[in-house]
Amino acid sequence: MVGLTTKEFFPAAAFLAVTAICSCTLGHAQVFTVQREHLGPKEANLTSVQPTTVALDTKPLTERTRQQLIRTFQADEAFAVRPLPLGTKGIVLHANGQLTPSGNGYAEELEKYGVSAKPGDRVVITKFEVRPDRIVFEFNDGPEKHHHILQHIQVGGMGGMAPLAKDDGHVPVGARMQLVFTKFVPEMTASDVRKLIIPMIDFSLKTPVEAFADTLPPKLKGAVLNHEVLVGMNREMVLKAVGQPDQKVREMDGQTPFEEWIYGQPPHEVQFVRFNGNRVIRLEIADVGQPPVIRDKDETDGYFAGQFVRQVRLGDAPPTAPNQEHGPTAAPSLRQPGEAAPDAVDKDRQLKPVQFPDDGKPKPIPPPPGSAPSQLLNVSDARGVN
């Protein structure tokens, strides 16, 4: 019983008694739910947002920018600013506007479906979808259970029917959020998207791409964060900048093997990134109605120049005098310092070649035990006996 005064106690007690009698008569229990009518200041702060003030473009989002946004946010990590509710409907955040539902409605969503992520929890964007007037985010595999098509196909025989794939029993624990715009999704950068959803998701901590970019010189760092490919980059830089390619091709240019990564599909812009080993040696950008742009000169300002040149001095090599660095040195040996060579060892103690008798005369056959010497025959006499 919650919040009842003395005057209200007896009517309430009588009501509970009548309810108990009815429950015995009907044969089932009655469940009472006490709902909150008002939110405290802390809860109200978590269920309402302060609108953002991000300048939005008047032109719709282009296909190239859409692909770049997908590569940037797909599988990216961030932190929840407010509790994210479970449920298939999800929450709606209006660009530079309010949250729907908010206040008591937001709290009811949390009570009804449960909490997917608490404030400060790390979330992974497992789905990033751009629709005509909104961007859909799904965190931690989303709030819906994903069914495999083989679970709906059954085969069997005399023993009965069984699906081709069994249910793994996974319970969805993710959340969904929609960033809604007035008419259409405008042209924007990844930074603009992060600023628009900052009331719910915080990207202020460094992402893996940003942490990797901080280890590079300014020019390469800017290219990686702006999702650009430069001639001279290695494979890891290209993956961090533009993600996995749509297609890979391996061919030969004369006697030189190369691998080409292809990004994009016609009639939109297509980039051909050619690797020789672990370096980009050629970049071609083709767009419909435009002459192809080909770059094959190093654009990293010599970042990898001399990377594989190492000067190593062996720890057991004595320092050499000037102008004698390349003088002859003794061959390596397992002998201790001052130990004599095998030729200087006492020859009487060395192993010698096996010597065989060279007189050519056969030796007598030894007598059997207990026989007299007179009964023996030489080998030569035995050979002459018929």
Side-chain angles (χ1 to χ4, degrees), residues 3-329:
L4 296 179
T5 62
T6 305
K7 296 180 180 180
E8 295 171 339
F9 175 80
F10 294 102
F15 175 75
L16 292 177
V18 174
T19 305
I21 297 174
C22 294
S23 64
C24 296
T25 305
L26 298 177
H28 60 83
Q30 299 290 328
V31 179
F32 294 91
T33 302
V34 180
Q35 297 183 353
R36 295 178 297 180
E37 295 183 359
H38 300 285
L39 295 173
K42 181 179 179 181
E43 294 169 328
N45 183 43
L46 291 178
T47 56
S48 60
V49 301
Q50 184 70 23
T52 57
T53 57
V54 181
L56 300 179
D57 203 325
T58 57
K59 297 180 295 184
L61 190 72
T62 63
E63 178 64 21
R64 178 181 180 182
T65 305
R66 186 185 73 86
Q67 294 181 2
Q68 290 180 351
L69 292 177
I70 293 175
R71 295 189 182 113
T72 300
F73 288 100
Q74 188 70 32
D76 199 2
E77 297 182 357
F79 294 87
V81 178
R82 288 172 171 78
L84 300 179
L86 289 166
T88 58
K89 183 178 179 180
I91 55 178
V92 177
L93 177 63
H94 298 272
N96 292 331
Q98 296 293 335
L99 182 68
T100 305
S102 62
N104 291 333
Y106 194 97
E108 292 176 359
E109 291 282 323
L110 296 174
E111 293 178 354
K112 181 178 180 181
Y113 298 107
V115 178
S116 172
K118 302 184 296 296
D121 286 353
R122 183 188 296 271
V123 294
V124 180
I125 301 177
T126 53
K127 183 179 180 180
F128 182 89
E129 182 181 1
V130 181
R131 297 180 182 176
D133 64 337
R134 65 192 61 199
I135 299 177
V136 181
F137 298 83
E138 285 192 1
F139 308 103
N140 301 339
D141 289 334
E144 296 177 340
K145 186 176 181 61
H146 301 286
H147 294 275
H148 198 282
I149 188 173
L150 296 181
Q151 296 179 2
H152 304 279
I153 302 176
Q154 294 185 346
V155 295
M158 301 298 295
M161 305 294 290
L164 292 178
K166 296 183 179 180
D167 188 358
D168 57 1
H170 173 69
V171 178
V173 294
R176 177 183 289 122
M177 183 185 72
Q178 301 183 48
L179 178 62
V180 179
F181 298 86
T182 304
K183 297 180 179 180
F184 49 80
V185 178
E187 180 74 7
M188 63 178 63
T189 63
S191 178
D192 294 335
V193 177
R194 293 189 179 99
K195 292 177 182 178
L196 287 171
I197 63 176
I198 191 62
M200 301 302 301
I201 304 297
D202 186 10
F203 291 86
S204 60
L205 295 181
K206 294 180 181 179
T207 63
V209 175
E210 292 173 340
F212 173 78
D214 285 343
T215 65
L216 303 175
K219 185 175 183 179
L220 287 172
K221 176 181 178 180
V224 171
L225 295 180
N226 293 327
H227 311 291
E228 298 177 359
V229 179
L230 300 180
V231 177
M233 282 184 169
N234 59 19
R235 294 173 183 261
E236 185 177 8
M237 294 178 185
V238 175
L239 290 175
K240 296 294 186 182
V242 293
Q244 291 288 346
D246 299 322
Q247 187 179 357
K248 292 183 180 181
V249 178
R250 292 184 178 180
E251 297 182 3
M252 294 286 295
D253 185 6
Q255 300 296 326
T256 304
F258 67 87
E259 182 175 278
E260 203 152 52
W261 292 6
I262 304 175
Y263 293 89
Q265 298 288 340
H268 305 290
E269 180 184 272
V270 182
Q271 295 189 36
F272 300 88
V273 183
R274 180 173 299 185
F275 288 90
N276 182 8
N278 194 32
R279 294 287 179 270
V280 177
I281 61 174
R282 187 175 185 269
L283 174 64
E284 180 178 352
I285 303 176
D287 201 354
V288 177
Q290 301 292 333
V293 178
I294 300 176
R295 306 202 303 262
D296 56 1
K297 304 297 182 183
D298 181 76
E299 299 174 321
T300 62
D301 294 338
Y303 177 69
F304 295 103
Q307 181 182 7
F308 303 104
V309 177
R310 296 290 185 272
Q311 183 176 2
V312 180
R313 180 179 295 277
L314 298 179
D316 58 350
T320 57
N323 302 325
Q324 295 183 1
E325 290 84 356
H326 302 285
T329 57

